[in-house]
Amino acid sequence: MSPDLPPVAPSVTAALVAALPPRLRKRLDAGVTKLLARPVTRDGDTVRIAVDDGTDVVLHAPGGSVTGADAIRCGCLLAPDCLHRAAAASAAPVAEDTPDPGPAGEPGPAEDPGPAGEPNPGADGDAPEGTAEGEQREFETATPAQHAAAHAVFDAAAAVLEAGTDGAGAVLQAELLHAAHTARLAGLPRASAAAVAVVTAVRAARAADPAYRLGDLAGALTAVLDVAHRLPHATGPELSALRGTVRQPYRPDGSLRLYGLFSEPVLTATGYAGAVTWTADADGRLYTVSDVAPGGPARATGAADRAVRVGDTTLTHRELSRAGLAVSGATVSPTGRLGAGAGVRAVRASGAAWHEEPLDRLWAVPAADQVTRALEGGQDLLFLEVTLTGTVRETAGDCLLADCAGVSLRLAAAHDDPALPCRENLRLLAAAAGSRLRIVARLTPGPHPRALLLAVAHPTDPAARVDLGLDRLQHADLPRETFVPPGGGAAGGEEAPLHLLRRRVHQAVPGGRRVLALAAGTPGDVARLRRLGLATAADLLDDLRTAAADRSRDVFGRLVPADRGRFARSWLAAAVYTEVVEQALCVHAWGGAARAAAAPATA
């Protein structure tokens, strides 16, 4: 996947790949690899790929993305049904299929299911609770078209899982994108978005993208299989949640007095970049102002100095993160995103330091309560007071170690792209071991306390703050003398044996069904899980191994095609179980912070 190419709608990629004759489909992956190595030039909305000295592939992307098959043209003799057009679409990031404008032309996201996957109230025209229509909706079922679309998404995702990322080439990706487009047309934006997320992660894995994480792809596969599996059997509110919504409905929210918290860069694998600024009102409710559009790292860093899109204020994102905003006629989405409609008015106001009201109350909530809120589908930001204790080396890079009221916490960089200062800032903060700081981080669910570090109070000036994705720390910003507390740098306790199941779930993602079928040591892992009291995990692992190895033969002794649906369901059951248990372990691990924080009050 090349970030130099404009995002291409899933329906476009699916159509171009489907139009290829079988002999060219077999060469598609090689064609993508070859095209990615060719020079790319951009002139406004037109991107040109030099296939050779006399042939170019041209992508027209008005508005930033390619939304029609005729917008990709090739000068070769086999055009329009040539390999080059399909390869260009398969090499580009995946765009939203049919962007839906928000209020006053503000772009809305492809899907916003609301907290914990719940539908946005009124987004689908729900009748008030207690009415006859509302009661009827309690028993509403998916339409035949939605049944068919959900099955298509499940089958296409199961094919990707069976093949693993090593075998999920451009053809399987296009089939999943086609299923995603079908789901969107059937009114299933959540399934569509989940399918697109899998394709994006698969492409990142196959391209050896440094930002790729195996856990992210496993989570994306779990999400799409889970939604597609449950949807045909769901009714009422559960069905509405699984369907999702096309965009966030903005609702009037009167006048708001907001205080800037911090700004963070946005840099997605789907080719979008920009900045989001977080603010809070006097009651501690969070609101965001975003500026995200197709682009790369340069746009992510440059957006911080662009004016925010609220009313006619000239404040930039960087300025708003430290100032305040008075808004009248505000419109707000269920997730707290501020609208930019014509009736919105906004003027600059005074801000507040993190230790001042009303922002100070965000740090007064016990860490365990904040983690529970995030895992239940609420806001995933954590407002913590920590003491830096050292660093620990991990496969993806160094992490900061910090003590949070008795809990050993690992803090990782939010972005690995070298154009952003996240990783370098983390390295410099490691020299400030012993410093006690207020931080803002994003929870990373797992059996041990872990989070992505987004912003910190300035190490030598508590009244100031540092946005770690946009501001660059200097050695002069660090305290001259630090003290490492005794025992600092030690990681928290032994890992639960659940990793015996998790590693098999993750092992299937790159290698597919065959890797699990040949995996050695699985019977021993099953026995160990039973011996340690995790009987359900043992049963799931045994079933997963059996489903992976289950190959029957016909009357002539030939192997018949594997039941990929059974394997996908077994893998999904193991993945969901692992996710639920790890969330419970996450709450337990963070619980020490609540107990330690409550100790002075009860002494």
Side-chain angles (χ1 to χ4, degrees), residues 33 264 299:
T33 302
E264 63 172 320
R299 194 182 193 287

Short mmCIF file of all heavy atoms in Angstrom, two decimals, residues 33 264 299:
data_model
loop_
_atom_site.label_atom_id
_atom_site.label_comp_id
_atom_site.label_asym_id
_atom_site.label_seq_id
_atom_site.Cartn_x
_atom_site.Cartn_y
_atom_site.Cartn_z
N THR A 33 3.21 -5.30 -6.70
CA THR A 33 4.59 -5.12 -6.22
C THR A 33 5.41 -4.30 -7.20
O THR A 33 6.17 -3.40 -6.81
CB THR A 33 5.26 -6.49 -6.00
OG1 THR A 33 4.49 -7.24 -5.06
CG2 THR A 33 6.67 -6.33 -5.50
N GLU A 264 -3.63 16.26 19.17
CA GLU A 264 -2.89 15.09 18.72
C GLU A 264 -2.96 14.97 17.21
O GLU A 264 -3.96 15.34 16.58
CB GLU A 264 -3.43 13.81 19.36
CG GLU A 264 -4.86 13.48 19.00
CD GLU A 264 -5.28 12.10 19.51
OE1 GLU A 264 -4.45 11.16 19.44
OE2 GLU A 264 -6.43 11.97 19.97
N ARG A 299 0.75 16.57 6.27
CA ARG A 299 -0.54 17.17 6.62
C ARG A 299 -0.82 17.02 8.10
O ARG A 299 -1.42 17.90 8.73
CB ARG A 299 -1.68 16.54 5.81
CG ARG A 299 -2.94 17.38 5.92
CD ARG A 299 -4.13 16.81 5.20
NE ARG A 299 -5.15 17.84 5.12
CZ ARG A 299 -5.88 18.25 6.17
NH1 ARG A 299 -5.70 17.68 7.34
NH2 ARG A 299 -6.77 19.22 6.03
#
